[in-house]
Amino acid sequence: MKVDFEAEYRSCYGRVFGLCLRLLGGTVLAEDAAQDAFVRAYRALDRYDPTQPFSAWVVGIARNHCIDLLRRRRHGELRFGDEAAELAAAEAESIEGVDALVINERSGKVRAALSALPEKYRLPLVLAYYNEASYDEIAEALGLSRNHVGVLLLRGKQALRKALTSTEEHPE
Amino acid sequence: MNHPTELALAMQADDALQAHEAAMVEQHLATCDVCSARVATLREESRIVAAVLAYDPASVSVPEFVKPASVRAMVAGSAIVLLIAGLLSTARGLVDLSVPDAVKWFNPFNAGGAVNLLVRTSTFLLSDRGSALFSSIVETLGGIVIMALLLWIASIVGRRIRGPMMMACIVCAFALQPSPSQAVEIRHDKEHAVLIPAEETIDDTLIALGDTIEVNGNVTGDLIAFGRRVVIRGNVGGLVITGGESVTLDGSVDGSVLAGAESLSVSARRIGRNLFAGAQSVNVSYATNIEQNVLVGGEKVTLAGRVGHDVLGGAEELEVASTIGGALTSYSKRMTLLAPAHIAGDVHAHGVEKKDHVVVSPGAVIGGQLITELDKMDMEENRYLTAHFYGWELVWLAAAFVAGFVLLWVVPALQRVPFDGAGDAMRSGGYGLLALVATPIIAVLACVTIIGIPLGVLALMAWCAGIYLAKVVVAQLIGERVLEAVAERPQHFAMSLLVGLLIVAFVGNLPFIGGVIRFGVTVVGLGLLVLFVHDVIFDDEPIEDV
């Protein structure tokens, strides 16, 4: 089955760009990365399995490309911290504060708090909740264990709660 | 009752537990309201994060997809570049043949000549002790370097003090702006003459534009005069900038004179600073007294009178009968020293065709040495046709490969320097240019103190190493990108380096643009190295907007 690349490109571009933007930050970087991802897909078209959705395939390429770019930016290494230390910190953390997310859902504060999260928490969160990648997929993409991914997601959400609770306590 | 851990509950909320773990947690949740409520809350939390991260694809305008170039297109492109390079090389040969030898160093197509001219002029200006032109160049360059350094420091130190630092830069910029001390008077008559009678004194800077300009009166500020015929007989308190078909300068000038004309005649009683002149025919008379330097170019240049410091002249034919306080450097086909010429320093005659084209008349005195350098241009073959050229290129390539291999092997992170497109090229180019210019200045300044000497020497050594290794870093990047485009699997860094170096060597030797490309490669590479070192030292993690 022949793929109508142009049509697929038009239909998937927004989703791919969105992922690149969430992962990389700047719009220009995201545009470049999205184009690169489609160029890679175009070159590898003979390896595409038409029984799978095209969007999932190209989003996977974009995700790997963005992670590769982030690795380059950090000179080959993305640091996600020690799993045991992160887990201990997660268990020690207060479980309260989820309400802060619910209250602020529409206020823009959650988005701002997400933007300010350290990369080690932000990347897994974006992959899990924007990209809807499974823990195994995230683990493979970031070179981590499955459990480590779970810990980072939990820590990321805890950091969000903390940030939102502290802004509530100390409003600007 | 033993409750599952927070992690287990969070993973359960994301349906991410393995089947057997999930079954155990489910079993617990059936009997524990606290944990059930907790999982429900965590699910809600995940939902909110997903909702906040959601992006509306409809809001994005889809740019046109540009299909990547095929290998065939790249080969065709390279062939076209080679063809154009060949044609340009031929054209350059033809231009070289048609340009008179004496003014070959003016030929803009001759990169070597232009660079040589730039270096000579800079050396000349540097030796021009205390001239206003030199001081203003130094002030401006110094200002730019200081501002760039402040900005650089500001970007490094962090966002918090960036505001005050920007303010400091703006204040510096204002402080460096020369304050206008005089008003400007403009006289313009396109059809007729602009005449300043002898009894009139202009107490401002005068800009005169017209067919014929005759300035018989005095100007206390600067004089800028452009016309078909320009005659300046009055005294000028500042600088004279003038141009026209025929320019005559008879008055006295306290500042420098910058003149361009078909025919230039100078018999000024005094020029307080320098004479910079370019004309088909230049004649500086015996009456003239130039207190500093002379930089003159033309077809026929006759120079008499007295010059305080040095003379740099380029002409088809140069005749000198002046008393020169410093050295005389000539880029002329023929050079004659006529009596009563008296040159206190050395006389360098570059580019003469034959030794007997340098004539020193009896009565002319040279205090230093007479150094004659024959014109090698005519003897030079096309360098691309010499085995010598390819031999040296091969040596360069091998040395760069070995140095690059060692560098990338010792510092593997350099194999993956961050570089995401044109923005990064501009950014690293800016840093590279700054490092290229500022490092030697800072190193020299550091050497003023005894403690600073080792630091200054180290900085200069690092600077030299950086300039050499800059090509390696860029070559590795280029090689990696090219191999990424054509090869299916990632290649060893040595292969990327070799491919990149071959490309850099090839494009760096293209006629016309080769020099610019080599400079660009050095600047970008140096910038990447600076940023790399900065990142290694500071290891900052920028906060980015999601």
Side-chain angles (χ1 to χ4, degrees):
Chain A
M1 190 177 70
K2 201 169 180 303
V3 180
D4 181 352
F5 192 86
E6 295 280 343
E8 294 286 6
Y9 167 76
R10 279 191 296 278
S11 77
C12 300
Y13 181 83
R15 187 166 165 64
V16 170
F17 171 77
L19 177 67
C20 298
L21 184 65
R22 296 288 181 252
L23 288 173
L24 299 175
T27 313
V28 178
L29 282 179
E31 281 171 357
D32 285 353
Q35 277 297 327
D36 284 350
F38 278 105
V39 165
R40 279 161 195 240
Y42 184 83
R43 286 213 180 96
L45 213 52
D46 54 341
R47 294 203 291 274
Y48 165 60
D49 174 6
T51 58
Q52 302 297 316
F54 183 86
S55 63
W57 181 63
V58 77
V59 162
I61 293 175
R63 178 191 65 206
N64 292 339
H65 179 53
C66 288
I67 291 169
D68 199 31
L69 287 176
L70 289 167
R71 269 207 186 101
R72 283 172 190 231
R73 211 189 277 178
R74 300 269 169 265
H75 307 297
E77 205 185 347
L78 287 171
R79 291 177 201 153
F80 292 101
D82 178 55
E83 185 185 333
E86 291 280 356
L87 181 59
E91 298 292 347
E93 192 82 23
S94 155
I95 59 166
E96 300 311 318
V98 179
D99 291 348
L101 256 81
V102 180
I103 295 163
N104 291 302
E105 182 183 352
R106 296 184 194 285
S107 72
K109 283 185 187 166
V110 186
R111 178 178 293 247
L114 254 170
S115 309
L117 279 184
E119 203 167 72
K120 62 178 178 179
Y121 301 143
R122 192 163 53 80
L123 290 190
L125 282 173
V126 171
L127 292 177
Y129 300 114
Y130 176 86
N131 191 210
E132 291 169 7
S134 70
Y135 278 39
D136 286 323
E137 285 170 327
I138 301 169
E140 195 190 334
L142 299 180
L144 302 170
S145 72
R146 198 166 178 282
N147 222 44
H148 198 169
V149 172
V151 173
L152 290 172
L153 286 170
L154 178 61
R155 290 285 291 144
K157 285 188 265 185
Q158 284 177 341
L160 268 183
R161 283 176 222 158
K162 209 172 177 178
L164 290 166
T165 318
S166 67
T167 54
E168 267 181 7
E169 282 168 9
H170 309 285
E172 295 289 324
Chain B
M1 184 192 284
N2 274 341
H3 297 285
T5 61
E6 175 82 355
L7 177 64
L9 293 177
M11 287 176 80
Q12 174 68 12
D14 284 342
D15 298 323
L17 284 175
Q18 305 282 14
H20 66 282
E21 295 166 329
M24 281 167 65
V25 173
E26 280 292 348
Q27 207 174 0
H28 173 82
L29 293 180
T31 58
C32 178
D33 291 343
V34 177
C35 290
S36 289
R38 184 85 196 128
V39 169
T41 316
L42 288 167
R43 277 213 177 102
E44 178 64 3
E45 187 179 50
S46 297
R47 184 198 64 74
I48 293 168
V49 173
V52 168
L53 280 171
Y55 192 84
D56 179 15
S59 65
V60 184
S61 62
V62 182
E64 201 182 331
F65 178 65
V66 183
K67 284 184 184 169
S70 63
V71 174
R72 197 186 297 169
M74 279 199 250
V75 170
S78 308
I80 291 168
V81 168
L82 274 174
L83 184 70
I84 293 170
L87 288 173
L88 289 175
S89 186
T90 314
R92 186 183 68 155
L94 292 173
V95 170
D96 267 356
L97 283 176
S98 62
V99 174
D101 288 346
V103 286
K104 264 187 179 160
W105 52 286
F106 268 136
N107 177 5
F109 296 115
N110 185 346
V115 170
N116 196 17
L117 173 65
L118 189 72
V119 171
R120 293 278 170 186
T121 312
S122 310
T123 321
F124 179 80
L125 284 170
L126 280 168
S127 67
D128 176 7
R129 293 162 288 271
S131 90
L133 184 73
F134 178 61
S135 326
S136 65
I137 289 171
V138 168
E139 272 168 24
T140 313
L141 280 179
I144 291 168
V145 169
I146 290 167
M147 277 208 288
L149 275 174
L150 285 171
L151 282 172
W152 187 42
I153 293 165
S155 71
I156 288 172
V157 174
R159 294 171 180 217
R160 271 176 298 172
I161 67 154
R162 200 172 281 179
M165 197 57 90
M166 286 297 282
M167 282 302 291
C169 290
I170 292 165
V171 171
C172 278
F174 276 107
L176 287 163
Q177 281 292 318
S179 53
S181 58
Q182 283 165 318
V184 175
E185 187 167 331
I186 300 173
R187 298 208 184 174
H188 180 207
D189 193 333
K190 209 170 159 187
E191 299 293 319
H192 305 99
V194 173
L195 173 70
I196 311 293
E199 58 274 16
E200 188 180 345
T201 297
I202 309 257
D203 215 5
D204 300 318
T205 284
L206 173 67
I207 299 176
L209 307 165
D211 181 65
T212 304
I213 293 158
E214 196 173 336
V215 182
N216 294 327
N218 296 337
V219 178
T220 56
D222 298 328
L223 170 63
I224 297 163
F226 287 91
R228 195 178 55 78
R229 183 159 179 263
V230 179
V231 179
I232 302 165
R233 295 207 183 90
N235 297 334
V236 180
L239 185 80
V240 171
I241 300 173
T242 180
E245 212 172 276
S246 147
V247 173
T248 308
L249 180 68
D250 289 350
S252 157
V253 180
D254 287 348
S256 294
V257 174
L258 283 93
E262 203 175 303
S263 154
L264 172 71
S265 163
V266 181
S267 32
R269 289 186 299 283
R270 175 176 171 268
I271 293 176
R273 288 193 165 159
N274 307 287
L275 170 66
F276 300 102
Q280 201 172 350
S281 130
V282 180
N283 187 7
V284 179
S285 81
Y286 284 98
T288 310
N289 179 8
I290 300 161
E291 294 195 357
Q292 292 184 358
N293 306 285
V294 173
L295 176 66
V296 63
E299 208 171 294
K300 178 154 185 357
V301 175
T302 309
L303 200 63
R306 186 189 152 272
V307 179
H309 297 155
D310 302 328
V311 172
L312 176 66
E316 190 91 0
E317 198 174 340
L318 176 69
E319 281 182 5
V320 179
S322 300
T323 302
I324 299 172
L328 166 66
T329 309
S330 151
Y331 287 85
S332 310
K333 203 170 169 183
R334 285 170 178 274
M335 191 193 77
T336 312
L337 291 185
L338 296 166
H342 187 286
I343 290 108
D346 294 340
V347 174
H348 294 261
H350 298 275
V352 283
E353 259 182 2
K354 293 176 188 165
K355 280 230 169 197
D356 59 7
H357 284 184
V358 176
V359 179
V360 181
S361 307
V365 180
I366 301 173
Q369 285 181 308
L370 171 65
I371 301 151
T372 308
E373 224 173 71
L374 292 180
D375 182 14
K376 288 183 193 138
M377 281 182 182
D378 287 341
M379 293 180 266
E380 272 178 12
E381 302 169 69
N382 185 339
R383 67 183 182 128
Y384 299 109
L385 299 177
T386 59
H388 179 261
F389 167 74
Y390 293 99
W392 274 112
E393 279 302 309
L394 212 60
V395 170
W396 176 86
L397 200 67
F401 180 74
V402 171
F405 184 85
V406 171
L407 176 77
L408 297 172
W409 183 56
V410 174
V411 192
L414 270 174
Q415 294 168 25
R416 297 173 294 271
V417 284
F419 194 86
D420 300 336
D424 272 2
M426 293 295 287
R427 183 164 159 258
S428 44
Y431 279 110
L433 193 61
L434 184 63
L436 194 69
V437 177
T439 311
I441 297 174
I442 294 168
V444 170
L445 289 177
C447 288
V448 172
T449 61
I450 292 177
I451 302 168
I453 290 173
L455 288 174
V457 172
L458 273 176
L460 280 176
M461 283 165 70
W463 183 68
C464 292
I467 289 174
Y468 184 74
L469 294 172
K471 294 179 204 78
V472 168
V473 177
V474 177
Q476 161 70 16
L477 259 176
I478 295 173
E480 197 188 342
R481 295 295 157 99
V482 168
L483 288 179
E484 211 174 76
V486 293
E488 300 222 330
R489 288 180 194 164
Q491 301 288 317
H492 191 268
F493 78 86
M495 186 52 117
S496 316
L497 177 66
L498 186 63
V499 171
L501 282 173
L502 282 168
I503 293 170
V504 169
F506 174 72
V507 296
N509 279 301
L510 286 176
F512 304 102
I513 53 168
V516 179
I517 291 173
R518 277 202 301 273
F519 181 72
V521 164
T522 305
V523 162
V524 170
L526 197 60
L528 285 170
L529 280 171
V530 168
L531 288 171
F532 176 78
V533 173
H534 163 254
D535 285 356
V536 168
I537 295 169
F538 292 93
D539 194 21
D540 58 344
E541 186 177 290
I543 297 166
E544 291 145 357
D545 295 331
V546 173

